């Protein structure tokens, strides 16, 4: 965990003023979160039901018994880019999740290891003060290095400007008992931060969207949250759990409201695992391959083989458009 940064040396480059576009984007993100913190963007869409959620969880858990469906405490020894941010340090979790975007686990893992080798693990000050080209070179294995380097450095500089240190550990706060309230000078005590406030703070940083923030909430902070990546979006569309007009952001807002909290972690990791492994529910070329979700749609929802295949094609196309 990083401590307060030294104030003896200024940043090599002053922080650029926040652009009007960045401010507008942040405002839009926070507005969307506020609107759907307690209500789905699709209040009249009644799927998934609780029964459907539990049933699909059971089907996928049976098909993939090697996938752990209960949340594990984040580990100091984890590579945050490989594990979707499953480390105790919130800022490291956020950076690792950014590195994992739009690339393979192998590539993102290599990018995080290279970043640590170049600057030292969680030496956030060094990363923030480095020339951007140095960061780009360190994370080039993960793809989109120029964009990701800019996002990471901007976040680090914004965190330091806001808190005077490179840390977001206040988001990992735990509830305090009434007697502890009488000792406000005890800096080891942290007030609990609600899921809504933690999500709002994370997406307030430029380049951080609801999916990335949700990963930090779930994998690092152990909160009930439901990140919707490409695999999850495709499969929830296939299952009829989100309306046809939903995009990934509104799909996540809807599912985070309607899914039982205790199923969110399991359903997420199972859908990601199934999405990576199963060849039977991806595209037209795999129409004859087996898939437990296609069987579920036929057996439990009464869809014909043709209807199932049309649903596979439609969900695959829509998911591809969202990346």
């Amino acid at each position: 965990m990083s401590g307060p940064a030294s104030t003896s040396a200024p940043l090599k480059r002053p922080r650029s003023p926040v652009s009007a576009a960045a401010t507008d984007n942040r405002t839009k993100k926070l507005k969307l979160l506020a609107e759907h913190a307690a209500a789905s963007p699709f209040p009249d869409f009644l799927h998934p039901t609780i029964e459907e959620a539990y049933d699909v969880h059971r089907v996928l858990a049976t098909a993939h018994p090697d996938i752990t469906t209960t949340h594990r405490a984040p580990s100091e020894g984890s590579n945050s880019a490989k594990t979707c941010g499953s480390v105790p340090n919130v800022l490291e979790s956020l950076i690792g999740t950014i590195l994992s975007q739009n690339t393979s686990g192998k590539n993102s893992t290599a990018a995080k290891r290279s970043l640590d080798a170049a600057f030292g693990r969680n030496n956030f000050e060094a990363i923030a003060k480095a020339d951007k080209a140095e960061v780009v070179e360190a994370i080039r294995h993960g793809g989109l290095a120029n964009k990701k380097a800019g996002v990471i450095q901007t976040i680090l500089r914004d965190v330091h400007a806001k808190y005077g240190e490179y840390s977001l550990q206040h988001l990992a706060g735990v509830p305090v008992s009434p007697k502890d309230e009488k000792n406000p000078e005890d800096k080891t005590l942290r007030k609990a931060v609600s899921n809504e406030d933690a999500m709002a703070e994370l997406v307030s940083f430029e380049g951080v969207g609801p999916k990335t923030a949700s990963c930090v909430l779930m994998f690092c902070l152990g909160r009930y949250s439901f990140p919707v990546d490409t695999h999850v979006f495709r499969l929830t569309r296939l299952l009829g759990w989100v309306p046809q007009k939903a995009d990934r952001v509104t799909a996540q807002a809807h599912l985070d409201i309607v899914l039982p909290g205790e199923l969110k972690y399991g359903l997420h990791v199972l859908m990601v695992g199934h999405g990576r492994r199963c060849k039977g529910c991806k595209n037209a070329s795999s129409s004859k391959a087996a898939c437990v979700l296609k069987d579920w749609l036929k057996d439990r929802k009464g869809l014909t083989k043709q209807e199932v295949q049309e649903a596979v094609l439609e969900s695959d196309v829509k998911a591809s458009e969202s990346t």
Side-chain angles (χ1 to χ4, degrees):
M1 185 182 304
S2 63
S6 168
T7 58
S8 59
L11 294 174
K12 289 183 178 179
R13 299 182 181 185
R15 290 177 62 240
S16 301
V18 178
S19 68
T23 300
D24 185 54
N25 186 46
R26 178 165 56 195
T27 300
K28 288 180 179 178
K29 289 191 292 182
L30 293 174
K31 182 175 183 291
L32 179 66
L33 286 177
E35 288 176 347
H36 305 309
S40 165
F42 311 110
D44 298 323
F45 191 81
L46 305 181
H47 298 282
T49 65
I50 292 177
E51 292 76 13
E52 287 171 341
Y54 273 95
D55 206 22
V56 168
H57 184 282
R58 176 189 58 77
V59 167
L60 289 176
T62 301
H64 307 287
D66 60 310
I67 296 179
T68 301
T69 57
T70 54
H71 182 266
R72 291 177 174 176
S75 169
E76 288 280 4
S78 294
N79 179 307
S80 59
K82 181 180 181 181
T83 59
C84 298
S86 185
V87 289
N89 188 294
V90 182
L91 198 47
E92 181 184 17
S93 174
L94 180 57
I95 290 172
T97 306
I98 290 167
L99 290 174
S100 72
Q101 295 170 351
N102 300 301
T103 191
S104 67
K106 179 181 178 180
N107 290 342
S108 64
T109 299
K112 181 57 166 63
R113 286 176 178 163
S114 178
L115 186 70
D116 291 347
F119 298 101
R121 183 174 178 182
N122 293 350
N123 190 348
F124 303 126
E125 182 177 14
I127 299 171
K129 292 182 177 181
D131 287 333
K132 182 180 177 182
E134 296 178 58
V135 182
V136 171
E137 176 60 23
I139 65 173
R140 62 184 176 82
H141 304 288
L144 300 176
N146 190 63
K147 178 180 179 181
K148 291 177 182 178
V151 168
I152 290 169
Q153 287 192 303
T154 298
I155 289 171
L156 290 174
R157 294 167 183 173
D158 287 349
V159 167
H160 189 270
K162 186 173 184 178
Y163 296 111
E165 61 178 350
Y166 297 98
S167 174
L168 290 175
Q169 288 309 110
H170 62 282
L171 298 181
V174 295
V176 298
S177 65
K179 68 177 181 178
D180 293 327
E181 296 280 8
K182 299 176 183 178
N183 187 18
E185 298 305 315
D186 187 347
K187 301 303 182 182
T188 64
L189 302 174
R190 298 189 182 97
K191 293 289 187 67
V193 178
S194 69
N195 282 9
E196 292 76 15
D197 288 344
M199 175 69 81
E201 169 140 12
L202 289 168
V203 302
S204 72
F205 295 113
E206 188 177 350
V208 178
K211 192 270 287 187
T212 295
S214 183
C215 284
V216 175
L217 259 68
M218 186 170 74
F219 289 103
C220 173
L221 302 178
R223 307 294 186 88
Y224 285 157
S225 195
F226 193 70
V228 173
D229 71 349
T230 302
H231 296 293
V232 175
F233 185 51
R234 177 171 62 81
L235 294 180
T236 52
R237 287 186 62 81
L238 172 62
L239 292 167
W241 284 11
V242 293
Q244 295 296 311
K245 62 183 178 181
D247 57 21
R248 274 173 51 176
V249 172
T250 54
Q252 178 170 311
H254 171 71
L255 293 166
D256 217 15
I257 290 291
V258 302
L259 286 173
E262 64 273 15
L263 290 186
K264 289 180 180 179
Y265 180 89
L267 278 172
H268 174 83
V269 297
L270 285 167
M271 285 186 171
V272 170
H274 183 78
R276 289 172 175 168
R277 297 174 179 180
C278 182
K279 305 300 183 184
C281 58
K282 275 188 177 174
N283 50 51
S285 63
S286 60
S287 60
K288 295 183 180 180
C291 170
V292 293
L293 294 183
K294 292 197 300 188
D295 292 341
W296 185 84
L297 286 169
K298 288 182 285 189
D299 297 341
R300 297 300 301 272
K301 306 298 289 184
L303 271 64
T304 65
K305 183 177 180 180
Q306 180 62 31
E307 288 172 333
V308 169
Q309 186 55 23
E310 289 173 356
V312 168
L313 292 172
E314 192 280 332
S315 62
D316 191 56
V317 169
K318 188 68 175 180
S320 298
E321 292 173 350
S322 73
T323 57

